[in-house]
Structure formats: C-alpha cells, structure tokens
Amino acid sequence: MPILEICVDDAEGLAVACQNGARRIELCAALAIGGLTPSPGLIARAAGCGVPCHAMIRPRPGGFVYSDDETAVMLGDVAAVQAAGLPGIVTGVSLPDGRLDRAAMARLRDAFAGEATVHRAFDLAPDPFEALELLVDLGFDRVMTSGGAVTALAGAERIGALVCAAAGRIQIMPGGGVDAAAAPVLLALGVDALHASCAAMRDEPHRLAPLNLPPQRAATDGAAVAALARAMAAR
C-alpha cells in the first residue's frame, strides 16, 4: 500500500499522525514558516514513536541558499539526527539561480547513512529534469514535489513526467495541498507515497494580544489524516 507521510512540528501532532494512519513522519519545527530543524527533545521523542521519522534539516526561515557557516550547522544537525537513531533526513540547498547546489547537497547526503529526501527546494530548479538527474547521481532516495505548482494536484502533469523520468531510480512523492480528494488522482500517476500536513486551525486558549501573537495556530487534524489514509487504502 502507498505510504502516507505526515509532517508534524510538535509532540501532539506526532501522536495524532501515528494514531490515525501515518506510515512515515516528516519531523519539523515551525511548520507555519515552512518547517525548520526540530529540537533535540522532539527528535528523541520521535525516535521511540514506532513510525519511521525523517527530520527536516533547515537552519532558518527564508530561501535555501546557505552560507558555509549555515551548511556547517546543517551538517551538525545531520550528525545529531544520525546519533539519535532516526532513519531519514529531509533537506535541500539551492544556488542563487534556483538550481540545486551540488556541492552542498553532496556533503549532506554523504554525511547521513540513512534515507535522504529533498524537499520543495526542488521545485525552484529551472530545469526539474536536470535536478532529478543530479539527485539520482548523488544517491538521494526521494524527491518531494508539487510539480512546480502551488499544489500537487495542479502540478500533476509534471509530477507524472517526473515519475517517468525517474524510472524507479529515485522516488517521486507528491506534496503540497494533498488531501483525501486529491489522493486518487495523484496515486494514479504511479507514485508510492504522498506527503501532507493535514492541519487545521485551532484557537489558542490564552489571551495573546499583548504579545502580538496570533489567536490561532495550525495543528495536526486526526480526522483529516484518517480520511487521507482511507482514500489511499481504497485506491
């Protein structure tokens, strides 16, 4: 059966995703800003959750062009994830023109003994098929992509072309706005995994206005995870 990967950024989301059908976790901090490297405490908790967890390696918000110092931080985070026993990492480094940074990506891939996924930095590449060949050459296991569109459903045609180009050498995993309604269309492209957040807005219980914090936050929605898992199982 295709694998449902759910991205989470806290202990509650980790538990909810695991209890409702996630078969792999992308572990992050700060999903509201696109996901950052998770904390040591969350990594340790994920290591014992019973579902394979792949840690995001992203040192700051913003784009994916990193300095040598930032790359060094990422390599340190990769070593920490390896030591904690998680089986995978998720990362991506770009050049200023949007192409993937071969040298930095090679260092990150070589530093980790488990699986390595490239996140949607891939979707910034001006030539996705050239980027795909680079990742195959470097030994990456998986690409998470929306096909260069706002959502994976909108980018389905390109995702299908990437699946054909990959020819089984690297996995193509649709991600971006994936829900139960989109699952049948995306699975029909020949992919074996889908990536989703399945998040819903939740009211914060405390008055946060004096701190200029939003009154709501996104949280993993167990019903949405379960619905997506059922749609994938029924395909």
Side-chain angles (χ1 to χ4, degrees):
M1 188 173 76
I3 288 175
L4 171 57
E5 178 179 284
I6 299 294
C7 56
V8 306
D9 65 357
D10 60 19
E12 180 186 357
L14 176 65
V16 168
C18 293
Q19 291 164 4
N20 286 279
R23 296 180 57 206
R24 186 167 61 226
I25 298 294
E26 182 191 272
L27 193 72
C28 305
L31 279 174
I33 52 174
L36 302 175
T37 304
S39 71
L42 186 57
I43 289 171
R45 190 173 189 89
C49 76
V51 172
C53 293
H54 294 191
M56 175 69 76
I57 306 296
R58 185 183 176 209
R60 56 158 172 78
F64 307 115
V65 179
Y66 299 120
S67 68
D68 289 344
D69 287 341
E70 288 172 323
T71 302
V73 168
M74 296 170 76
L75 288 166
D77 289 336
V78 168
V81 170
Q82 186 88 66
L86 295 193
I89 58 170
V90 182
T91 194
V93 185
S94 298
L95 295 169
D97 64 2
R99 290 179 299 133
L100 294 176
D101 185 332
R102 183 185 185 96
M105 296 287 285
R107 293 179 69 192
L108 291 164
R109 171 67 274 199
D110 291 347
F112 192 72
E115 294 186 25
T117 299
V118 177
H119 56 49
R120 287 180 64 189
F122 176 84
D123 286 328
L124 300 179
D127 184 340
F129 299 97
E130 177 185 69
L132 189 70
E133 294 303 321
L134 182 152
L135 296 175
V136 169
D137 190 47
L138 293 180
F140 278 84
D141 300 281
R142 187 175 301 106
V143 176
M144 195 267 278
T145 177
S146 66
V150 175
T151 68
L153 195 58
E157 183 176 353
R158 177 173 286 181
I159 292 172
L162 288 166
V163 171
C164 292
R169 298 172 299 159
I170 187 171
Q171 295 178 336
I172 305 298
M173 178 172 63
V178 174
D179 57 15
V185 176
L186 296 173
L187 291 174
L189 300 173
V191 301
D192 56 10
L194 297 179
H195 172 98
S197 64
C198 292
M201 297 307 294
R202 175 185 298 173
D203 291 337
E204 286 288 352
H206 307 294
R207 185 169 178 267
L208 301 175
L211 302 180
N212 197 32
L213 296 174
Q216 293 185 316
R217 68 179 180 90
T220 308
D221 184 340
V225 175
L228 180 50
R230 287 194 301 270
M232 293 175 67
R235 78 173 191 358

